Amino acid sequence: MHVDVLMHLFIDWSILHFFQIDETVIPLMTDSDLAKYIPKVGDRVSTVAFCRQAALSQESPSRKESILSRLRQRLSGGEGMPPKKRSSKLEGNTNAKRKVRRLEVGWMDYDEDEERYKQVKSANGGGTRHLSVEKDETVADIKVMAENIFFPNGCSKKKKRLSNYSTHMESSQIHINVSNTVDELYNKSKLKMLRLYLCTKMKTGQQPPVGVEDDHTTSQPSEVDLTDQNQAVEYLLVENRNSESTYHHFINDGASTSGNLELDETLPWDGLLTLGEGEDSHAVIFVGEGRLDVTEDEPNLETAIPEKEDDAPSETVDQSLSPPVLAGEADVSAQALSEPQSSPVTLIVRRGHCLTDMINAFKDPKIVASEVCIKMRLPNGELEQGEGSGVLRDCLTEFWMDFYDSCTLGVEVKVPFIRHDFQQEEWQAVARVFVVGWKQAGYFPVKLAVPFLEEVLCDSTTSSFKDSLLLYVSHEERSILEKALEDFNSVDTDELLDVLDAHECKQVPTEDTLLPVLSQIGHKVIIQAPMYVIKCWRPVLVSVASLLPPEGLHHFIAQKKPTAKTVKALLKFPEEMTAAQSTVSRYLKRYIGEIDCKNLQLFLRFCTGSDVLDKAILIVFIETTNFLRRPQSHTCGCVLKLPIGYYSYPDFRSEFNNILTSSMWVMDVV
């Protein structure tokens, strides 16, 4: 046994060698002969397979090496493997060659200050454009294509006229001539992608007009960006030597107003703006945050003292604090609604900073004669896509909401209060927003107290000060005062005195004197305290006063305030509706009847852009998936789109509540 084990473990290679050479030798040793050395059948089978594999690996190369060897021979043209050659009849055939090549085209404009060409970004109408052109096209042909791309119809995105510039083509990669073809440039440069630039430079003696390019662009609105990346105070005053009067407007921080202006940056202040009264004169000013400096030609708005008014004997405010009436201010406001409007002005207002941006923009007295368009800038710096009358109404609504919160006192009715940072210039800017909002959008600030508006518009009051005071005070104070008016003896005296003391009442009221005391307090709070604001607003709002009779002001404001009944009356449903559409229409009417006054104003703003009653709301039913199901609106056309896939009223109410309580709505439809 020990000998068999040794023979099995230490088999002499020479013993097995004779049957592993080839197939003819292996049969010489039978299985019975091999069993003498390897007793187990499995070991014998494994031994024979091993010997065969070893013999093959020693004598023949692997399959991988064989394939690689054949490829090398074919590539090198070795013996037996001649390289393939094109048939002689296809020699010189160029049909397979490409006839079109791709290239990139950009735009570079000459900067006079830095004395070099600077690339124009895509946001300003430049960027990199990809073209596919014929190989035989010349550089001159590419130049014509580039001019049509960057100056469509002869005018760029920033209202630059191609006729005011000299142009030529350049490349940062190779030297080019106008006669070179695209194929020659590729063969010369050996580049994978060729890039050419259209270089423009202002012609000598050419000065682009400010705001208006020519007769073809006078109807295009000038864009006024009231924002700034750093939100700093910057003023741009551009001088026009062809006129004598001073006129202020606004300019986009990327717009070019002279040959030296940077294409995409705001320039520092470089002079005084003087423009004439002609239609082609368009003054510009960039307004950020802060106050506008008074020029030498303007009166000092803070130190000028007006003449004492004889028709206000009950005035308790020191007349020295009364604001002056600028020369021509009343005339400009009175004629604003009847005079032909000047060129449109587009204001870019920051969402969330509407109050300050609009006040800075409307400090110009002549803006009331212009057609104002609004674009909103989101907090992330991007412009909303929406534009039109709906965006204007939404901006006005946001402005007055911010004004109510920051510049007024009162609960249900609002009265402006004196602020140290609001002087005559700021208060009159607010009044101009009032005029433009009423003139263009029919927006009226209905939350302002009626006696205050009567004093501003009509120079007299007919409404009850007591009723306005009850709406001015808090709900708790109102309940105490109403209880005292109904039954003076039933009210707690201490509570009543605390309410009156909060409004600086100087006498202890009785049952007979309570009503006159409340009227006196109402006059003090609503008329006497904001008298400076009233005098600032009067000359500006004279055009609005001529359209609103004093006896109809209270009724007019009541018609503008939304209620569930009046809002339902504005809804315009299709004449024929399916069962699903009828169900959703019932959900909408029920929802309007349930929400409070605040959410009712939000509903109106969502549908029309305005929180006051103005236009009818057209209802359109749409079909969407459950994932995309939500109410949609187009404020410019006052259209409300409602999905019909609601399974219950709570689903409808939940989605509408989520929309109305959202902190911000984005106008993303043009």
Side-chain angles (χ1 to χ4, degrees):
M1 183 64 181
H2 182 66
V3 175
D4 293 339
V5 172
L6 291 177
M7 290 177 64
H8 178 65
L9 295 178
F10 302 100
I11 300 175
D12 188 357
W13 181 259
S14 61
I15 299 176
L16 299 177
H17 183 68
F18 67 94
F19 66 87
Q20 71 181 6
I21 300 303
D22 51 24
E23 293 293 337
T24 59
V25 178
I26 289 176
L28 297 178
M29 174 173 266
T30 62
D31 185 69
S32 59
D33 296 334
L34 187 59
K36 297 178 181 179
Y37 304 99
I38 304 175
K40 293 185 178 181
V41 177
D43 293 342
R44 292 196 299 273
V45 173
S46 299
T47 302
V48 172
F50 172 76
C51 293
R52 287 178 176 175
Q53 183 178 1
L56 292 175
S57 62
Q58 289 179 1
E59 294 185 0
S60 62
S62 64
R63 183 171 180 272
K64 178 180 179 181
E65 293 179 354
S66 176
I67 294 174
L68 291 176
S69 176
R70 294 176 62 188
L71 288 175
R72 292 191 190 99
Q73 291 178 1
R74 174 167 294 185
L75 293 176
S76 60
E79 296 182 1
M81 295 287 182
K84 292 185 177 180
K85 295 183 180 180
R86 180 185 292 268
S87 176
S88 59
K89 65 180 180 179
L90 297 179
E91 292 289 345
N93 187 2
T94 60
N95 293 330
K97 286 187 177 181
R98 291 184 297 176
K99 297 182 179 180
V100 177
R101 296 300 299 266
R102 297 187 61 202
L103 55 86
E104 297 176 347
V105 177
W107 176 19
M108 300 187 72
D109 191 69
Y110 188 76
D111 187 356
E112 298 288 349
D113 295 336
E114 300 185 14
E115 296 183 352
R116 66 185 182 92
Y117 285 95
K118 299 183 69 174
Q119 185 173 3
V120 182
K121 297 181 180 179
S122 57
N124 297 325
T128 301
R129 310 299 174 92
H130 300 271
L131 304 179
S132 295
V133 299
E134 297 286 341
K135 294 167 59 176
D136 297 334
E137 297 283 357
T138 63
V139 175
D141 298 331
I142 305 300
K143 176 174 171 289
V144 175
M145 296 180 187
E147 290 175 350
N148 293 330
I149 292 174
F150 298 115
F151 293 87
N153 298 324
C155 186
S156 70
K157 182 180 179 182
K158 293 300 181 181
K159 303 299 181 290
K160 290 173 176 282
R161 301 293 300 178
L162 180 61
S163 58
N164 296 333
Y165 292 84
S166 60
T167 61
H168 66 279
M169 298 298 294
E170 291 287 350
S171 175
S172 60
Q173 300 162 328
I174 58 172
H175 177 71
I176 61 175
N177 295 319
V178 292
S179 59
N180 291 136
T181 63
V182 175
D183 192 33
E184 292 174 352
L185 294 178
Y186 267 106
N187 293 334
K188 181 179 178 181
S189 63
K190 307 300 181 182
L191 293 171
K192 185 176 181 181
M193 180 63 66
L194 183 65
R195 180 189 289 265
L196 302 179
Y197 289 97
L198 175 66
C199 299
T200 60
K201 185 176 181 180
M202 180 76 65
K203 294 180 180 178
T204 305
Q206 292 286 343
Q207 189 73 11
V210 180
V212 181
E213 293 291 342
D214 54 16
D215 295 338
H216 298 283
T217 59
T218 53
S219 61
Q220 297 294 330
S222 62
E223 193 168 85
V224 184
D225 194 346
L226 304 177
T227 65
D228 173 38
Q229 290 183 353
N230 300 322
Q231 297 183 3
V233 181
E234 295 188 19
Y235 300 101
L236 284 179
L237 299 177
V238 181
E239 182 176 0
N240 187 335
R241 297 180 176 85
N242 297 327
S243 100
E244 299 177 357
S245 61
T246 301
Y247 179 44
H248 300 201
H249 251 333
F250 316 98
I251 185 172
N252 184 2
D253 57 356
S256 175
T257 57
S258 70
N260 298 328
L261 286 185
E262 172 58 47
L263 292 172
D264 46 29
E265 295 181 359
T266 301
L267 290 184
W269 176 38
D270 58 357
L272 178 64
L273 169 66
T274 56
L275 286 180
E277 299 293 334
E279 292 182 358
D280 293 337
S281 298
H282 196 75
V284 293
I285 179 173
F286 176 88
V287 183
E289 296 180 358
R291 298 184 54 200
L292 179 64
D293 295 336
V294 180
T295 63
E296 296 179 358
D297 296 334
E298 295 176 337
N300 192 327
L301 303 181
E302 298 184 6
T303 60
I305 301 177
E307 297 180 359
K308 185 176 180 179
E309 297 181 359
D310 297 332
D311 56 348
S314 60
E315 193 76 37
T316 59
V317 181
D318 188 357
Q319 292 295 329
S320 63
L321 298 178
S322 300
V325 178
L326 293 178
E329 173 77 22
D331 296 337
V332 171
S333 299
Q335 299 174 5
L337 299 180
S338 59
E339 287 184 350
Q341 294 183 347
S342 61
S343 299
V345 176
T346 300
L347 306 179
I348 299 180
V349 181
R350 293 173 293 173
R351 180 75 71 178
H353 297 270
C354 187
L355 179 65
T356 56
D357 288 350
M358 292 284 282
I359 287 177
N360 288 331
F362 279 79
K363 288 181 180 179
D364 174 21
K366 294 186 179 180
I367 195 172
V368 295
S370 301
E371 181 183 354
V372 178
C373 302
I374 298 293
K375 288 186 178 180
M376 303 299 293
R377 187 182 295 279
L378 296 173
N380 61 2
E382 297 180 356
L383 285 177
E384 291 183 356
Q385 297 181 10
E387 57 183 77
S389 59
V391 180
L392 175 61
R393 290 193 294 268
D394 182 75
C395 181
L396 292 171
T397 302
E398 182 176 340
F399 171 84
W400 285 108
M401 290 178 62
D402 293 344
F403 180 79
Y404 295 148
D405 293 337
S406 304
C407 305
T408 64
L409 298 174
V411 180
E412 292 192 13
V413 297
K414 305 292 183 178
V415 177
F417 74 96
I418 303 301
R419 294 175 44 150
H420 71 89
D421 55 342
F422 270 52
Q423 300 299 317
Q424 185 249 7
E425 193 178 22
E426 284 74 19
W427 287 118
Q428 288 195 339
V430 175
R432 295 185 191 105
V433 177
F434 194 138
V435 173
V436 172
W438 169 249
K439 178 181 65 172
Q440 293 189 210
Y443 188 92
F444 197 90
V446 295
K447 286 190 176 182
L448 294 177
V450 176
F452 171 81
L453 290 173
E454 290 176 344
E455 186 70 24
V456 172
L457 299 175
C458 310
D459 202 9
S460 62
T461 57
T462 58
S463 300
S464 172
F465 289 103
K466 182 262 297 182
D467 295 339
S468 298
L469 178 64
L470 293 178
L471 297 174
Y472 175 86
V473 299
S474 64
H475 295 283
E476 182 181 359
E477 293 177 341
R478 185 193 311 170
S479 62
I480 296 174
L481 294 177
E482 289 178 345
K483 186 177 181 181
L485 290 172
E486 293 176 0
D487 187 0
F488 186 82
N489 296 325
S490 64
V491 72
D492 190 336
T493 305
D494 293 337
E495 291 182 351
L496 178 61
L497 292 178
D498 288 340
V499 172
L500 297 178
D501 184 65
H503 299 281
E504 301 178 356
C505 181
K506 302 302 181 182
Q507 69 182 74
V508 178
T510 63
E511 184 175 2
D512 297 330
T513 61
L514 179 60
L515 184 59
V517 167
L518 293 181
S519 298
Q520 293 170 3
I521 294 176
H523 185 273
K524 167 186 168 294
V525 170
I526 299 173
I527 301 298
Q528 298 178 24
M531 180 54 66
Y532 181 80
V533 181
I534 293 174
K535 288 187 176 293
C536 287
W537 284 18
R538 273 177 182 166
V540 182
L541 296 180
V542 62
S543 58
V544 179
S546 62
L547 302 176
L548 297 174
E551 62 274 5
L553 183 59
H554 191 280
H555 179 66
F556 171 78
I557 293 178
Q559 289 181 331
K560 282 286 186 179
K561 290 184 178 180
T563 62
K565 181 179 179 180
T566 55
V567 173
K568 290 180 182 179
L570 294 178
L571 303 179
K572 301 297 181 183
F573 294 96
E575 295 182 358
E576 297 181 359
M577 294 186 293
T578 63
Q581 294 173 351
S582 299
T583 301
V584 176
S585 66
R586 290 195 301 270
Y587 290 165
L588 178 62
K589 294 179 180 179
R590 180 178 176 182
Y591 179 77
I592 293 174
E594 291 182 356
I595 58 179
D596 56 13
C597 182
K598 181 179 179 181
N599 285 331
L600 202 58
Q601 293 174 351
L602 291 175
F603 174 81
L604 278 178
R605 184 182 178 188
F606 176 74
C607 297
T608 66
S610 174
D611 59 351
V612 297
L613 295 175
D614 185 22
K615 298 180 180 296
I617 302 173
L618 179 63
I619 306 299
V620 176
F621 296 98
I622 58 176
E623 295 184 3
T624 60
T625 62
N626 290 335
F627 180 75
L628 298 176
R629 187 186 68 186
R630 69 186 185 280
Q632 306 172 21
S633 67
H634 299 286
T635 57
C636 291
C638 301
V639 178
L640 176 61
K641 294 184 176 181
L642 295 177
I644 60 175
Y646 292 104
Y647 301 107
S648 63
Y649 172 70
D651 292 341
F652 179 88
R653 179 181 59 192
S654 175
E655 290 192 3
F656 237 117
N657 285 337
N658 291 335
I659 291 177
L660 297 185
T661 56
S662 176
S663 60
M664 182 178 296
W665 299 328
V666 177
M667 305 290 184
D668 58 356
V669 177
V670 180

